Amino acid sequence: MKVRTAEELMKDNMLVKHYAGSLAYGTNLPTSDVDFRGIFCADPVNVSTPFFTVRESTDVEEEDTKLYELSHYMKLALDCNPNVVETLWVDDSDITFRTAAYDLLRDNRHRLLSSKLAFTFSGYALSQLKRIKGHNKWINNPQPEERPRQTQFVSMIQWYGAKKVMPRDFDIEVFRNEHRLVPYGSDMYGLYYAPGRQVFDKEYTLNTTYDEERSNTPPLAIVKFNKAEYKLALEKHAQYWSWKNNRNAARGELEEQFGYDTKHAMHLVRLLRMGVEALRDGEIIVKRPDAEELLAIRNGAWTYEQIVQYATQKDREVREVWYKKTELRKKPDNKFAALLLMEAQDLVWSGCK
């Protein structure tokens, strides 16, 4: 028995392939990537047994091409995944390959929709808003190049020295030489005078190893290493510089100019509008009639405050108005979807596709 790879199945059992992303939305620029999405069907051995499961495949020979296996696609479509369900709603002119099995799915696309999309489209939109807010904070509060040091997260709990020191004035780095830390438990340490010792090394990492008998001499101070805050600061620093070093140059310029990621803002507006349209009219409009306005948003036509306000208001409208008024079924029709799926599979397996 020959078991075909996902790549072989994608090429041999393809149902549809279409332009995706900005080309499908009508918001593409001369510099835009060429994205393709689509559906292919696995063989019976992949579907009927648990040993050779296939979910999706990418075409390494093309820039950005991903096709979903039919069974997996149907599950994602019933979940109203915005990036997946649009395959059944793309403009005919954006379809580069299609079959009778795809047309069967497309002819029944309305019955695969449910009001669940109120939460998925808004959810994806708000994830864009979260990124926008995060990047806005990074732009206005950039991280230094130097990584956070453990010594920056040491605070004084109690001072026992002769010369009074207030917690706000305490700096562990002053005591680097001729001192040491003795563990007291729960990230608490006694700071002791210790000739020849150091509190931290050249990387500003605390020297907390102690395998000697504890002294009865009182410490100079009791300090706490705020490990959780240090770990969080490390993560923020790494995230900031990963974003800073890997972001698209053109988008970076727009972020610096307008204070937020305008491409995320464009997608946010698009998703919220598509959600309203689907709930109101039962149609998912992929080729955007508002493409010109969306491109203007991408070029910074809206302020950061306008984007946040629009997202908040539109999300509330989707959930509190259109979700209640929509004529879409409340739950996916799994039985109908199962029959439709099996009919499409039979077309492929019989060679009709």
Side-chain angles (χ1 to χ4, degrees), residues 89-324:
W89 298 85
V90 292
D91 194 81
D92 282 324
S93 63
D94 289 320
I95 299 175
T96 61
F97 176 85
R98 68 193 302 164
T99 62
Y102 168 71
D103 289 335
L104 173 68
L105 299 178
R106 189 176 176 96
D107 290 344
N108 290 278
R109 59 189 179 179
H110 291 88
R111 293 192 64 178
L112 299 178
L113 294 181
S114 69
S115 60
K116 186 175 183 178
L117 64 82
F119 305 99
T120 56
F121 275 76
S122 280
Y124 273 58
L126 293 184
S127 72
Q128 300 289 333
L129 181 63
K130 184 178 180 179
R131 292 182 183 179
I132 289 171
K133 288 182 175 180
H135 292 185
N136 178 261
K137 290 181 180 178
W138 283 342
I139 291 168
N140 294 319
N141 301 282
Q143 290 276 326
E145 291 188 20
E146 182 182 2
R147 295 172 71 250
R149 307 195 300 256
Q150 288 189 355
T151 53
Q152 296 171 318
F153 297 86
V154 175
S155 57
M156 187 186 82
I157 303 301
Q158 186 69 45
W159 179 260
Y160 296 103
K163 184 179 179 182
K164 188 174 182 180
V165 175
M166 300 297 291
R168 65 174 179 271
D169 300 322
F170 179 79
D171 182 359
I172 193 65
E173 294 187 11
V174 173
F175 303 93
R176 175 179 183 176
N177 297 315
E178 309 301 316
H179 291 81
R180 72 173 306 164
L181 295 176
V182 176
Y184 274 29
S186 300
D187 295 327
M188 305 282 283
Y189 301 90
L191 175 64
Y192 286 85
Y193 174 68
R197 300 301 184 97
Q198 288 188 321
V199 170
F200 54 91
D201 61 22
K202 62 181 180 180
E203 301 296 332
Y204 294 89
T205 300
L206 298 174
N207 296 322
T208 58
T209 302
Y210 186 80
D211 53 7
E212 302 172 22
E213 186 176 345
R214 190 181 301 275
S215 171
N216 292 325
T217 306
L220 186 63
I222 302 295
V223 300
K224 179 179 177 63
F225 172 42
N226 299 293
K227 187 180 294 184
E229 292 183 16
Y230 170 67
K231 183 179 180 181
L232 181 61
L234 277 180
E235 291 175 353
K236 288 182 177 180
H237 184 271
Q239 290 170 354
Y240 171 82
W241 283 104
S242 175
W243 163 76
K244 180 80 171 178
N245 294 329
N246 297 312
R247 63 179 175 168
N248 178 276
R251 289 175 69 176
E253 290 179 5
L254 289 172
E255 283 185 324
E256 296 294 343
Q257 182 178 356
F258 298 106
Y260 67 97
D261 190 320
T262 54
K263 188 173 181 180
H264 284 325
M266 176 185 69
H267 288 307
L268 179 154
V269 173
R270 174 184 60 79
L271 284 162
L272 288 170
R273 289 179 177 177
M274 290 175 71
V276 169
E277 292 159 359
L279 291 167
R280 183 187 63 208
D281 306 322
E283 301 279 334
I284 294 178
I285 304 173
V286 179
K287 185 69 74 178
R288 299 305 304 162
D290 55 350
E292 187 174 339
E293 183 184 10
L294 292 174
L295 283 172
I297 293 171
R298 190 184 191 281
N299 290 324
W302 290 14
T303 65
Y304 171 76
E305 289 73 21
Q306 283 178 298
I307 289 295
V308 174
Q309 183 180 26
Y310 181 88
T312 303
Q313 292 177 345
K314 210 68 175 178
D315 176 62
R316 185 181 302 116
E317 178 185 334
V318 167
R319 296 168 184 270
E320 297 181 4
V321 178
W322 293 112
Y323 176 70
K324 296 177 181 179

Side-chain angles (χ1 to χ4, degrees), residues 341-353:
L341 168 62
M342 290 188 291
E343 187 176 351
Q345 288 172 331
D346 286 342
L347 283 174
V348 176
W349 294 338
S350 66
C352 298
K353 294 189 180 181

Side-chain angles (χ1 to χ4, degrees), residues 279-280 322 325-329:
L279 291 167
R280 183 187 63 208
W322 293 112
K325 296 176 66 173
T326 186
E327 295 182 4
L328 292 177
R329 59 181 53 83

